[in-house]
Amino acid sequence: MTEPVLSVRDLNVGFRTSRGLAHVVNGISYDVQPGETLAIVGESGSGKSVGTLALLGLLPPGVAKVSGSAVFAGEELIGRSEEKLRPIRGAGIGMVFQDPMTSLNPVLTVGRQIVEAVRAHGPMPKAAARARAEELLAEVGIPDPRSRADAFPHQLSGGMRQRVMIAIALAGDPKVLIADEATTALDVTVQAQIIELIGRLQSEHSTGVIWITHDLGVVAGIADHVLVMYAGRCVEEGSVDELFDRPVHPYTRGLLGSMPLVDDPRPARERDPLSTMPGLPPDPVRLPPGCSFYPRCTIRADERCRTEVPPLVPIAGSSDRHRAATFYAPEGV
Amino acid sequence: MTGYVIRRLVQSVIVLIGVSILVFAIVHLVPGDPIRLALGTRGTEETYQAMRERAGLDEPLVVQYFQWIGSALTGDLGVSFRTGQPVANMISERVPATLSLAAAAIVVALLIAVPLGTLSALKPRSPVDWFATVSSQAGLSIPDFWMGIMFILLFAGTLGWLPSGGYVGFTEDPVQWARHLIMPAVTAGVASGSIMTRFVRSSVLEALGQDYVRTARAKGMRARDVMTWHVLRNALVPLVTVGGVQLAYLLSGVVIVEIVFAWPGLGQMALQAVEARDYSLLQGTVLLFAVIFLVVNLVVDLLYAKLDPRISYEQGAAR
Ligand SMILES: Nc1ncnc2c1ncn2[C@@H]1O[C@H](COP(=O)(O)OP(=O)(O)OP(=O)(O)O)[C@@H](O)[C@H]1O
Ligand SMILES: [Mg+2]
């Protein structure tokens, strides 16, 4: 196996709130290999976005408390100063944000916002940067990029804005691309185009991709490795085949049990199985002492589950990258 | 764009007509006889009657209004009862002093508000923030006559650095113009600056929390560029409105500051006109203030639409 381009170990994020520290990300670890796609899935609020924002120091300072380690290309990111993170932002790790409505500045043209990303990492003449911005717009499938570059965000559709976000993330030629619900706002055809585009760029530049999504259909189609998050913890991870064929954790099994057919015509949001499972995730300020999934668990819930956090351990009979955090792995999976 | 400007101009004219009627009515309904005041104890009944007639005060109010507004359109605002000079001349003599003071005061206000408001938004609950809050509270509550007098005592009296009052035209002597301008501009600017500091603080704070600022940081932009192009650029939009209101206020005469520094501005003249029941002078000045407000408002709206592309001219002023 090659050297991972990004290696996250025991990442924790807490938010100082009026009610106490909210434990939003609790000991997440993963590796991203060059050219590989890691999918992170989990229901809303499970800490997927926060966990990736923490890598680039993009959480509100003073409110967020981040610990653990994240090594990118041999350099530790956690605890690094703003000025030292700057060269990594955009050029090392690019990020496509979840909400394209609010993530673009309403008073600047989209062309300008892409140019900023192009010029952030070294001097480049204005005209060349502008040409590069138009090229990027064309690459993400925006027709007539020359005139679209002069549009303001409110003049573009949601799908167009999402593509602009992707163009911005690609502008710095990142080694790792974090795509946070990058295709959620798009219709199926556009979604397929974007997935194809990122796949192509990924194989050309061997970019490592972290794909955050609710859409298990997409995960099955594009991911190499999958990490399932619940209440800020990783409850199961494995290769996409292992996870879909032999899910071990009751949460994963629940997700997949209600997984729709891949060609379900309804938009991803409506058929989101992660939020249709009965019950609610625990309050991050008062995490239960045992397994976070215990209150919702249908398979087996006993005293040990209630009082002890099950460690993430390799599954017998699977590869050692297939691991789950449950005391009750079903026999003979 | 042109259509929008024309529509706004028509609106302004309508407002101006309304204001002129109001000004006229108020001035004429206020008790007190201007001719008697102007004559004082001198003059006979004949001179009194003759002056009334000459001023047109014998005519019905409606006729008087149309006479006034008719000649106002040609630039003739009548003749002051008190000095016998044309009102238009008296006003235009004072305009340079008022413009100098208002422009300098708004610059002072911005020099206070933008850095202080921004710094305190960047470090909420820090000593800087605390200082900004306390000093803008103080700037608002210290009476300007007192501040003006303190400045005079210190800088004109004890230190002897600056003249204690008066005005020198820019064309006469730019250095003296500036020396005379400093203290009144600071005195007038502090209150506006204090109001605007709070405003800058809250709009910068709001801009800082926006997702697009996070996007800009994630691009790897320099902190300074993120600050300029994403935080301040967006915080500027609401600031234009507040700045416009403050500018209009400063232009329409900061009476007390003008009195303290013997500054020959419009505010002081308007006050004298009220005291002397100088109808034509008062009407002319107040009408000018109304025009100033309308023009500043129009400019603010145009600037607003220029700064925020989401506001389209077609929908008119969305605010
Ligand atoms: N600034 C903050 N202060 C306090 N809590 C926060 C803050 N930002 C996020 N959180 C909390 O962190 C938790 C995780 O949020 P996060 O955005 O990572 O969820 P997510 O898994 O990305 O969900 P979604 O699928 O809806 O995007 C949520 O409970 C959220 O309320
Ligand atoms: Mg999210």
Side-chain angles (χ1 to χ4, degrees), chain B residues 173-186:
Chain B
D173 183 348
V175 175
Q176 283 307 316
W177 170 81
R179 281 169 48 87
H180 282 83
L181 189 53
I182 293 175
M183 285 200 293
V186 171

Side-chain angles (χ1 to χ4, degrees), chain B residues 287-310:
Chain B
L287 198 64
L288 178 70
F289 292 162
V291 173
I292 289 173
F293 260 93
L294 287 171
V295 170
V296 169
N297 243 307
L298 185 64
V299 171
V300 163
D301 280 352
L302 291 178
L303 210 57
Y304 204 86
K306 188 109 202 103
L307 289 174
D308 190 342
R310 283 169 300 179

Side-chain angles (χ1 to χ4, degrees), chain A residues 15 17 24 42-51 60 63 98 181 214 284:
Chain A
F15 285 106
T17 71
V24 167
E43 70 197 295
S44 196
S46 55
K48 307 185 295 294
S49 301
V50 166
V63 180
Q98 194 165 1
E181 308 278 0
H214 287 240

